[in-house]
Amino acid sequence: PVPNPPQLDILTARTDFVTLGIGANDIQFIELIAACLSPGGPAAPCTSKWVAGSTDLISAYIEKAHKGLLSALGAIRKRAPHAVVFVIGYPAVAPERGSTCAGNKLPPANVPYVRAKVKQLNAMLASAAQSAGDHYVDEYTPSVGHDLCQPPAIRWIEPVDPIPSVVAFHPNAVGMAGMARVVVQAIRAAK
């Protein structure tokens, strides 16, 4: 397969809109979710892997990613100086309330930590977007109630045993459509 060219290469002074989804890979997000939200995972809280003393590695990764995001936003602005830029947040992966779900039997001690890290990542994305004079698109709030604990027709994010053709802990077709609606609303509101 031919690799995709760098996405910045498509931007020009004629670019009107840019949407940017970034940050999860930089903070080991999928590894975090897989370690913390897989049914039958370790009985010990997953924080034992990510928190040592007063150091929370995920929080440190989020802080480090902030600088990288500001750099990326600066590169976008340089190539597309007239574009309206939208930094896309992440949806609710775990239930907003409670610590487990009946169908997936999540390790209850881990759900609050994952929920907090998603919110922290989104807060960093919002802060960077604001600092750069760009827009932040909140995908979290509209996705509450569509977490991986919900039935397939409702959830936006797939659990460890996803429906066919969807990767675990990623959006399914319902989620992609729901998140797309949120982005379109944000673009329309910015006009």
Side-chain angles (χ1 to χ4, degrees), residues 50 55-64 113 117 120:
W50 305 105
T55 302
D56 182 326
L57 290 175
I58 299 298
S59 293
Y61 294 148
I62 290 171
E63 289 175 28
K64 184 178 177 186
Y113 181 71
K117 296 299 111 179
Q120 185 181 1

Side-chain angles (χ1 to χ4, degrees), residues 27-29 31-33 35-37 45-52 55-62 94-95 98-99 107-121 140:
I27 70 157
Q28 300 184 24
F29 191 57
E31 185 180 341
L32 167 72
I33 295 171
C36 295
L37 298 184
C46 69
T47 53
S48 62
K49 178 176 180 170
W50 305 105
V51 179
T55 302
D56 182 326
L57 290 175
I58 299 298
S59 293
Y61 294 148
I62 290 171
S99 295
N110 297 339
V111 173
Y113 181 71
V114 170
R115 183 186 309 124
K117 296 299 111 179
V118 174
K119 289 181 177 184
Q120 185 181 1
L121 173 59
Y140 190 93

Side-chain angles (χ1 to χ4, degrees), residues 39-183:
C46 69
T47 53
S48 62
K49 178 176 180 170
W50 305 105
V51 179
S54 63
T55 302
D56 182 326
L57 290 175
I58 299 298
S59 293
Y61 294 148
I62 290 171
E63 289 175 28
K64 184 178 177 186
H66 185 263
K67 193 183 311 182
L69 176 55
L70 289 174
S71 176
L73 292 170
I76 290 168
R77 182 63 54 218
K78 184 175 180 180
R79 291 178 183 237
H82 308 293
V84 181
V85 179
F86 299 86
V87 177
I88 313 300
Y90 287 88
V93 175
E96 179 63 12
R97 289 178 182 67
S99 295
T100 192
C101 53
N104 292 314
K105 299 185 182 182
L106 302 178
N110 297 339
V111 173
Y113 181 71
V114 170
R115 183 186 309 124
K117 296 299 111 179
V118 174
K119 289 181 177 184
Q120 185 181 1
L121 173 59
N122 282 332
M124 181 276 289
L125 295 171
S127 171
Q130 182 179 19
S131 293
D134 295 322
H135 299 270
Y136 171 71
V137 180
D138 174 18
E139 291 283 4
Y140 190 93
T141 302
S143 69
V144 168
H146 298 281
D147 55 77
L148 58 76
C149 288
Q150 304 308 315
I154 296 173
R155 69 179 174 238
W156 288 11
I157 303 297
E158 285 300 306
V160 72
D161 295 322
I163 58 174
S165 75
V166 180
V167 177
F169 308 121
H170 284 75
N172 57 31
V174 174
M176 286 187 262
M179 290 186 281
R181 281 191 301 274
V182 174
V183 172

